[in-house]
Amino acid sequence: MRILRFKHFARRFVGGRPARIIAIVVAAVLGGWLGLSVGATVQTSVGPADIAMSLDPAWRGETVLDVRPLGTLAFDSHRSPVRLNFSIEAVHPDVAEKMLEDREWSDRLPATIEKEITDGVRRLAIRGAIGAVAAGFLTGLLLFRRLSRAAWTSAGSLAMVAVLGVTSALTFNPRSIAEPRYTGLLTGVPSLIGSVETIMNRFSMYRDQLAKLVTNVSQLYEAGANLPIFDPDPDTIRVLHVSDLHINPLGWNVIKSLKDQFKVDFIIDTGDISDHGTKAENEYIKEIGRLGVPYVYVRGNHDSKTTQRAIEKQKNAIVLDGQAATVKGLRIYGVGDPRFTPDKSLQGVTDQALVDLGRRHALRLAPPAPPAPSPSPSASGSPSPAASASPSPAPPQESEEQGKITVDIVAVHDPTMGRAFSGRVPLVLSGHAHRRSTEVLDTGTRLMVQGSTGGAGLRGLEHEEPTPLTASVLYFSKATRRLVAWDDITVGGLGEHWIQCERHIEGQPDPRMLPESDKTPTPTGTNTAPPE
């Protein structure tokens, strides 16, 4: 009896009004998406270039600028399930030359480009709406074979387009233009896997290709600084943050290319430059002396004291282990990792012991005072002694708080130790995790964890996909000595030839430090941290 009632209810529902409404809504959505995909395309002239614009259904709302075959720029511009695509179809050299020669043209260019893009997007929206209505009507006619239902379907498609447009407008994020994601794929680079048989052969081939890849794409991104995005002024201090090289020679290619293309003032390495801390690995370290810029280093858990002493002998190297140094006007405090895990020593050092050690060092630091403008440069333009690169640590600046020192950056290897400096410094740099991340702690301190600039060494080949090589370029204001923006660079691992650069703008470039709620080291029984 219940089965008969259910069948009767099912027949009434399928043939009733609710089912018809659901069917019309589904048909309207399908027809609308089809209409947008096919009809929402226009081509317009923007300055000296012909730009093709289109709308595509997408799970993630974004705007993508395609510069084939060099790569793409993506912006998280809105939060509706539609993607706005721009692609450069052609560039007219005669028009570009006229713009360069005519000063009035150059002055009018920004307003002209804005007007032409606005007109193009308007025409794109109109064509998208017409295409959605037409596709919705045809879909309804094919499915229902009634003009009345086809009309309702086309109306539903128009309503869907209107909802997408309103949602995109309400969620539009103008800040996204300053934080692009750049992905470059050089399709002309030959395959690097082929028939090679050994890892060393792959390393040799890949290293040469990677040097060209990083240089070319970095030059393209550097040229992109002329776009309306964050453009560092000459007073900006540029710092390259690397970590966990693990004796991978490819890491030096990345470092050298980024150093040159982004014109960095110095480099901070947060440890694990070696893999087993042996003397044989010290040959790898000699690349530091050939970089030509200061190289600030803190010991990682794969670096032995032998490794640390070898780095100290290198030109440009500044090794920090419970010390502070002033480099290019930024004051940096560094602490080496107390563990040395390759020989399984000090395995009893728990996370809490790392926190306790970090807190003891943090108590040597005074919370940063509100940043004051730096002295004006001399007439000759030469940097002050404190801003000059020096291979030996400079005396840290003293604070009024009981003679404690004030620093701008703390460098450690393990982020667990880095958290202990919360509230004592605006920025903490670390590595160890082989995965990039960043967060702002409750006190206002930003903790940045770098991935592996060496692609985790040979361990990067153990997984199904090779570990990418990562590094970040940090931009500091010379006046306030605070982080204002950073670029996260990611290079494809062994056998892959792609690179991505994602820009971030610091939302609070002048963080106000709040006191940490608990500064008292927690007892850890017998698992105490070893002496510094």
Side-chain angles (χ1 to χ4, degrees):
M1 191 68 178
R2 291 181 179 178
I3 295 176
L4 292 176
R5 288 180 179 177
F6 177 77
K7 289 183 178 180
H8 177 67
F9 173 78
R11 282 196 298 270
R12 289 188 60 186
F13 179 81
V14 171
R17 182 182 295 272
R20 289 197 298 270
I21 294 175
I22 293 174
I24 289 174
V25 170
V26 172
V29 171
L30 293 176
W33 283 133
L34 179 63
L36 281 178
S37 301
V38 176
T41 58
V42 297
Q43 184 163 318
T44 185
S45 295
V46 178
D50 293 336
I51 305 294
M53 303 181 183
S54 64
L55 292 174
D56 290 326
W59 292 111
R60 177 179 183 176
E62 60 181 357
T63 299
V64 177
L65 174 61
D66 189 351
V67 189
R68 300 177 184 175
L70 300 176
T72 60
L73 279 169
F75 308 90
D76 293 327
S77 55
H78 55 281
R79 295 190 178 279
S80 61
V82 63
R83 181 173 58 236
L84 176 60
N85 300 303
F86 293 85
S87 62
I88 300 177
E89 300 297 317
V91 178
H92 303 290
D94 52 338
V95 178
E97 185 176 354
K98 179 182 177 181
M99 290 180 177
L100 292 174
E101 294 176 351
D102 190 345
R103 181 179 294 275
E104 293 184 0
W105 245 111
S106 301
D107 294 338
R108 294 197 308 267
L109 185 59
T112 302
I113 290 178
E114 181 179 358
K115 180 180 181 300
E116 291 173 341
I117 290 179
T118 302
D119 292 342
V121 172
R122 185 182 298 112
R123 289 193 291 118
L124 182 66
I126 293 173
R127 292 195 61 169
I130 294 174
V133 169
F137 182 83
L138 292 176
T139 302
L141 194 62
L142 289 174
L143 291 178
F144 305 118
R145 301 186 181 278
R146 290 186 183 181
L147 288 176
S148 59
R149 293 188 182 179
W152 279 110
T153 304
S154 64
S157 298
L158 179 61
M160 183 200 74
V161 173
V163 170
L164 288 177
V166 172
T167 304
S168 298
L170 292 178
T171 60
F172 176 67
N173 177 24
R175 178 188 174 91
S176 65
I177 196 68
E179 299 182 332
R181 295 187 310 277
Y182 176 80
T183 302
L185 176 62
L186 301 183
T187 55
V189 177
S191 173
L192 303 175
I193 301 298
S195 60
V196 294
E197 299 177 355
T198 67
I199 289 178
M200 293 310 299
N201 286 339
R202 293 168 66 184
F203 265 123
S204 176
M205 297 174 65
Y206 185 58
R207 179 171 181 165
D208 294 338
Q209 295 291 350
L210 183 67
K212 298 177 183 178
L213 170 67
V214 176
T215 299
N216 292 339
V217 178
S218 298
Q219 286 177 337
L220 177 65
Y221 192 79
E222 184 74 7
N226 293 323
L227 296 173
I229 58 178
F230 177 78
D231 188 10
D233 58 48
D235 291 332
T236 299
I237 304 170
R238 306 187 186 195
V239 180
L240 179 62
H241 178 206
V242 302
S243 190
D244 295 84
L245 284 161
H246 287 288
I247 65 168
N248 187 345
L250 306 181
W252 291 124
N253 289 108
V254 174
I255 291 174
K256 291 175 182 177
S257 296
L258 297 180
K259 172 188 73 75
D260 293 336
Q261 300 304 323
F262 286 83
K263 299 177 176 63
V264 302
D265 295 291
F266 66 94
I267 301 167
I268 296 180
D269 183 340
T270 47
D272 276 4
I273 194 172
S274 65
D275 214 18
H276 296 88
T278 61
K279 285 186 177 181
E281 295 170 278
N282 291 346
E283 192 68 25
Y284 173 82
I285 293 167
K286 292 182 179 179
E287 292 288 340
I288 293 175
R290 305 184 181 108
L291 293 174
V293 296
Y295 193 94
V296 181
Y297 161 84
V298 294
R299 191 178 64 253
N301 62 294
H302 279 260
D303 302 330
S304 65
K305 290 295 182 69
T306 300
T307 304
Q308 179 169 305
R309 286 190 292 269
I311 293 176
E312 288 174 342
K313 297 176 182 178
Q314 303 304 313
K315 182 181 178 182
N316 308 317
I318 302 173
V319 176
L320 299 179
D321 192 7
Q323 303 154 314
T326 301
V327 186
K328 297 293 183 179
L330 293 179
R331 296 186 296 278
I332 309 159
Y333 188 88
V335 185
D337 198 294
R339 304 162 296 182
F340 181 56
T341 55
D343 66 354
K344 308 302 180 182
S345 65
L346 300 180
Q347 288 296 304
V349 181
T350 64
D351 286 349
Q352 185 58 53
L354 287 177
V355 173
D356 293 342
L357 176 60
R359 284 178 175 173
R360 290 201 291 273
H361 281 276
L363 290 175
R364 301 179 60 186
L365 308 181
S374 60
S376 59
S378 61
S380 62
S382 60
S384 63
S388 62
S390 171
S392 59
Q397 178 174 324
E398 300 228 352
S399 167
E400 295 180 358
E401 185 184 326
Q402 301 175 357
K404 296 181 179 181
I405 59 176
T406 302
V407 298
D408 305 310
I409 305 171
V410 163
V412 296
H413 179 63
D414 195 319
T416 301
M417 184 190 297
R419 293 178 181 275
F421 291 88
S422 179
R424 293 280 169 170
V425 66
L427 177 65
V428 176
L429 301 180
S430 67
H432 186 62
H434 296 176
R435 185 174 183 178
R436 177 193 286 140
S437 65
T438 181
E439 64 175 308
V440 178
L441 306 179
D442 293 339
T443 60
T445 295
R446 178 177 288 279
L447 174 63
M448 301 185 76
V449 183
Q450 188 56 266
S452 175
T453 310
L458 293 179
R459 295 180 192 82
L461 304 175
E462 295 175 352
H463 308 291
E464 191 170 318
E465 295 182 359
T467 302
L469 287 68
T470 64
S472 299
V473 180
L474 315 179
Y475 301 94
F476 293 84
S477 166
K478 190 172 291 185
T480 64
R481 306 189 307 277
R482 296 292 188 265
L483 180 72
V484 292
W486 68 95
D487 290 332
D488 284 335
I489 296 97
T490 306
V491 180
L494 186 66
E496 299 181 350
H497 43 274
W498 58 269
I499 185 170
Q500 176 174 295
C501 188
E502 186 170 0
R503 176 153 294 177
H504 307 272
I505 304 297
E506 176 59 86
Q508 294 181 336
D510 181 12
R512 301 294 175 177
M513 297 293 100
L514 300 175
E516 183 67 28
S517 58
D518 179 17
K519 287 294 183 184
T520 305
T522 305
T524 57
T526 57
N527 284 331
T528 58
E532 297 175 26

